[in-house]
Amino acid sequence: MEDTHKHKGLRKQLIELLKQKGIKDTRVLEIMGSVPRHLFMDSGLMHLAYEDNAYPIGAEQTISQPYTVAYQTELLQLKPSDKVLEIGTGSGYQTAVLLGISPLVYTVERQQILFKKTQRLFQKLGLRPKKHLFGDGYLGYQNAAPYDRIIVTAAAPSLPKALLKQLKTGGKLIIPVGEKQQFMMRLTKTGENSFDKEKFGRFRFVPLLEDKN
Ligand code: SAH
């Protein structure tokens, strides 16, 4: 569980690349410059951790590409006092980035193998989300609702109703919507049943799966 000089150097280069690609939020860049992404990857792939790519993490899932993490986190406009729900914990890397901004992070994963693996990693790294849950993110997490922010890190064919409901008025949901490829969407809740919708760039995510196995 080492973070060496070499890792730090590679991370700096990655941050420069993210800037070149258009990421501007200095807090997001700073945090991604400090979170050791290699520790969230399988040992055989660690040497690739500071390439701007997605890689397999088991259970047919991937750790999101750094650019995607930066893009989604920038759109989220998370404040230190915000309560945030993340759907799709996966490797836990995006969770660690969120925890760098706010301690009030709730995160849900539906693959038991990944859930357990990441739970151990969080313990090792001393990362403490408010709750790390095993379950179906389509349903959100009602017990801690409403949320200031919700971030979905898998592709949704349509907008999950429970997530819209569990958002605070004034709150924001970042979600990639679409089947084969997705558009990043930002919804801002303006009233009980009303939303402002913004559509951003095209991405490719693993699907948000409805049934648990
Ligand atoms: N943020 C993660 C992304 C992992 S990929 C990372 O960078 O590592 C998307 C994750 O969403 C996968 O771990 C997948 O198992 C999970 N997922 C898919 N459908 C889900 C659902 N319905 N509820 C919760 N998690 C889900």
Side-chain angles (χ1 to χ4, degrees):
M1 289 284 147
E2 251 194 309
D3 191 24
T4 63
H5 255 332
K6 191 176 162 201
H7 292 125
K8 288 179 183 138
L10 291 171
R11 224 159 36 233
K12 261 197 180 149
Q13 288 175 22
L14 174 63
I15 299 309
E16 283 312 309
L17 180 68
L18 294 176
K19 280 189 201 165
Q20 281 169 27
K21 289 189 171 181
I23 303 300
K24 290 192 182 68
D25 188 322
T26 49
R27 182 140 54 180
V28 172
L29 292 166
E30 225 172 80
I31 289 159
M32 289 187 64
S34 73
V35 177
R37 186 174 187 249
H38 61 284
L39 301 183
F40 294 83
M41 291 177 53
D42 288 349
S43 50
L45 295 170
M46 274 189 183
H47 62 290
L48 298 169
Y50 299 102
E51 301 289 323
D52 191 21
N53 288 317
Y55 291 104
I57 53 173
E60 290 171 24
Q61 307 303 323
T62 55
I63 180 170
S64 297
Q65 184 184 343
Y67 175 67
T68 306
V69 172
Y71 193 95
Q72 286 198 281
T73 312
E74 184 167 79
L75 285 182
L76 194 63
Q77 298 173 324
L78 184 65
K79 295 189 292 293
S81 58
D82 283 344
K83 195 199 290 182
V84 56
L85 174 66
E86 177 193 28
I87 307 300
T89 318
S91 67
Y93 176 69
Q94 171 78 69
T95 319
V97 172
L98 296 173
L99 282 168
I101 305 176
S102 165
L104 307 176
V105 179
Y106 295 77
T107 183
V108 184
E109 172 57 50
R110 73 174 279 285
Q111 298 277 2
Q112 181 121 46
I113 291 175
L114 288 178
F115 171 75
K116 287 198 171 143
K117 192 163 132 188
T118 300
Q119 196 170 39
R120 283 194 298 270
L121 183 67
F122 283 161
Q123 274 162 12
K124 260 193 215 157
L125 299 179
L127 288 169
R128 290 192 188 81
K130 272 279 184 191
K131 284 249 187 299
H132 176 209
L133 301 148
F134 170 61
D136 182 359
Y138 260 102
L139 308 174
Y141 179 57
Q142 179 58 41
N143 287 2
Y147 300 94
D148 300 287
R149 298 288 186 266
I150 301 179
I151 176 170
V152 181
T153 71
S158 60
L159 296 167
K161 285 209 177 70
L163 299 186
L164 298 176
K165 237 190 173 161
Q166 290 173 21
L167 201 57
K168 244 179 227 176
T169 300
K172 291 177 198 295
L173 164 68
I174 310 297
I175 182 167
V177 183
E179 308 261 347
K180 265 198 186 140
Q181 61 175 14
Q182 297 82 41
F183 281 99
M184 194 65 75
M185 304 284 302
R186 179 167 62 193
L187 279 86
T188 304
K189 192 162 183 170
T190 52
E192 191 56 40
N193 273 313
S194 54
F195 296 86
D196 271 349
K197 285 187 192 167
E198 297 167 276
K199 191 171 173 182
F200 297 92
R202 245 180 262 185
F203 289 84
R204 220 174 262 259
F205 280 82
V206 294
L208 188 64
L209 301 167
E210 213 150 348
D211 52 318
K212 258 193 280 178
N213 45 13

